[in-house]
Amino acid sequence: MTPDVLAEAGLAESGLAEAALAEAGEAAAKAAKAAGVVVRELGTIDELGAMITLFDEIWLPENGNSSLRLDMLRAMTKAGSYASGAFDLVSGELLGACIGFFGPPARGELHSHIAGVGPAGLGRAVGFALKVHQRAWCLRRGVRTIAWTYDPLIRRNGYFNLVKLGARPVEYLRNFYGTMDDAINGGTETDRVLVHWDLCSELVADASCGRPRQASFADEGERGAVTALSAGPDGLPVPGLPLADGSGARTLLVGVPADIEAMRVSDPAAAAAWRSTLRDVLSPLLNGGARVTGFDRDGWYVVSLRGDVG
């Protein structure tokens, strides 16, 4: 039998039904069709070179230094790591790509290092198609968790990761990559949130099939949630309720600005204030056992202080 067939046989023995594998494959096919792309693995020198070119066009790295090395990508894919591209069905243009590598064998986890969509693919749900393909690819190989990091200040990324995909934060990482002077990070410290994507959970299965679970700032407020961080009239961060105020609150709402990337250009001092303030609020919550259970599209993390599942 081929490695994929062996992997699927092992999944069946471990309790992952064939129906779950079929669901993941169907969700991936549906997402690709909706985006007008075909998503497939990359492996040739030319394909991997095109991935690097695309990423450099997106991030515009400092001094023209590429974000990835071709020889390293070639070695990673030969070793069995994940590399995929989303190609336009009509033109064949590479619109988006994703690269991931495996962690310790006992963990059974893929770390999704970079995923990006170029200008020609924006507004077409290409990123969603890439991630749902990655989920199906992993499940066929017995991998049940995908991890990755993202900047918690970027509102659209929070919505995409936590709502559209159903991933959940597990750790706050301070200045994880060091200072990065590219078009997106703008020479700022690179705080990141590490998320885990539980590929077999009902939450993720629903999200992959286009049924995401939305959080609502208003609804959470009616249930007694209190605001731990918000934007003031001048756009600067305003910390709210102290974490140990004795109110007995079960849920906190942690806000982020509408467009931190634009703010890094127009008002670097305000952007830096948001970075430090969000770090002071969200880091002790995540690293102290609280759980992010949702994200409101208008830029609010919903944080449970007592481990409630969402």
Side-chain angles (χ1 to χ4, degrees), residues 21-85:
L21 292 171
E23 170 271 312
E26 290 169 3
K30 179 181 177 181
K33 182 178 180 181
V37 298
V38 57
V39 181
R40 59 177 175 81
E41 293 181 63
L42 306 179
T44 70
I45 291 291
D46 288 345
E47 290 172 340
L48 296 174
M51 171 191 278
I52 293 174
T53 298
L54 178 68
F55 287 161
D56 288 349
E57 290 173 350
I58 296 170
W59 274 275
L60 299 176
E62 183 184 15
N63 299 325
N65 295 322
S66 291
S67 53
L68 294 168
R69 285 172 53 101
L70 183 58
D71 58 343
M72 183 62 71
L73 281 182
R74 183 70 160 162
M76 289 169 62
T77 54
K78 179 62 177 175
S81 292
Y82 177 84
S84 72

Side-chain angles (χ1 to χ4, degrees), residues 129-143:
L130 281 166
K131 295 302 291 185
V132 178
H133 176 276
Q134 188 181 53
R135 173 177 178 253
W137 185 93
C138 282
L139 287 175
R140 289 196 301 271
R141 288 157 177 80
V143 178

Side-chain angles (χ1 to χ4, degrees), residues 12-282:
E13 292 176 1
S14 65
L16 183 59
E18 292 182 7
L21 292 171
E23 170 271 312
E26 290 169 3
K30 179 181 177 181
K33 182 178 180 181
V37 298
V38 57
V39 181
R40 59 177 175 81
E41 293 181 63
L42 306 179
T44 70
I45 291 291
D46 288 345
E47 290 172 340
L48 296 174
M51 171 191 278
I52 293 174
T53 298
L54 178 68
F55 287 161
D56 288 349
E57 290 173 350
I58 296 170
W59 274 275
L60 299 176
E62 183 184 15
N63 299 325
N65 295 322
S66 291
S67 53
L68 294 168
R69 285 172 53 101
L70 183 58
D71 58 343
M72 183 62 71
L73 281 182
R74 183 70 160 162
M76 289 169 62
T77 54
K78 179 62 177 175
S81 292
Y82 177 84
S84 72
F87 296 85
D88 185 88
L89 280 174
V90 177
S91 68
E93 178 184 0
L94 180 65
L95 302 179
C98 184
I99 178 74
F101 49 83
F102 289 103
R107 192 179 297 172
E109 176 183 298
L110 183 83
H111 185 85
S112 187
H113 180 48
I114 301 179
V117 177
L122 296 180
R124 293 175 50 176
V126 173
F128 182 74
L130 281 166
K131 295 302 291 185
V132 178
H133 176 276
Q134 188 181 53
R135 173 177 178 253
W137 185 93
C138 282
L139 287 175
R140 289 196 301 271
R141 288 157 177 80
V143 178
R144 294 179 176 233
T145 304
I146 300 175
W148 64 88
T149 65
Y150 79 96
D151 185 341
L153 277 170
I154 299 180
R155 183 185 293 188
R156 68 177 186 280
N157 287 356
Y159 182 79
F160 179 73
N161 291 322
L162 307 189
V163 179
K164 295 288 289 184
L165 296 179
R168 286 293 177 260
V170 295
E171 187 177 0
Y172 190 98
L173 304 167
R174 178 171 177 166
N175 200 23
F176 186 59
Y177 296 110
T179 300
M180 297 177 69
D181 192 12
D182 56 36
I184 293 178
N185 292 287
T188 63
E189 290 189 326
T190 53
D191 286 23
R192 295 292 184 264
V193 162
L194 177 70
V195 299
H196 279 177
W197 204 23
D198 182 357
L199 305 184
C200 298
S201 71
E202 182 179 348
L203 173 67
V204 171
D206 284 349
S208 298
C209 293
R211 300 187 298 271
R213 300 183 189 177
Q214 306 278 350
S216 166
F217 175 87
D219 290 348
E220 294 296 339
E222 290 180 0
R223 288 193 284 266
V226 297
T227 300
L229 178 61
S230 61
D234 56 1
L236 292 174
V238 178
L241 185 74
L243 300 185
D245 75 318
S247 69
R250 293 176 58 90
T251 305
L252 297 180
L253 299 168
V254 179
V256 293
D259 190 346
I260 190 66
E261 292 164 296
M263 187 183 291
R264 285 169 182 157
V265 176
S266 64
D267 192 345
W274 270 103
R275 170 66 76 208
S276 62
T277 307
L278 182 67
R279 174 190 293 167
D280 291 344
V281 172
L282 195 56

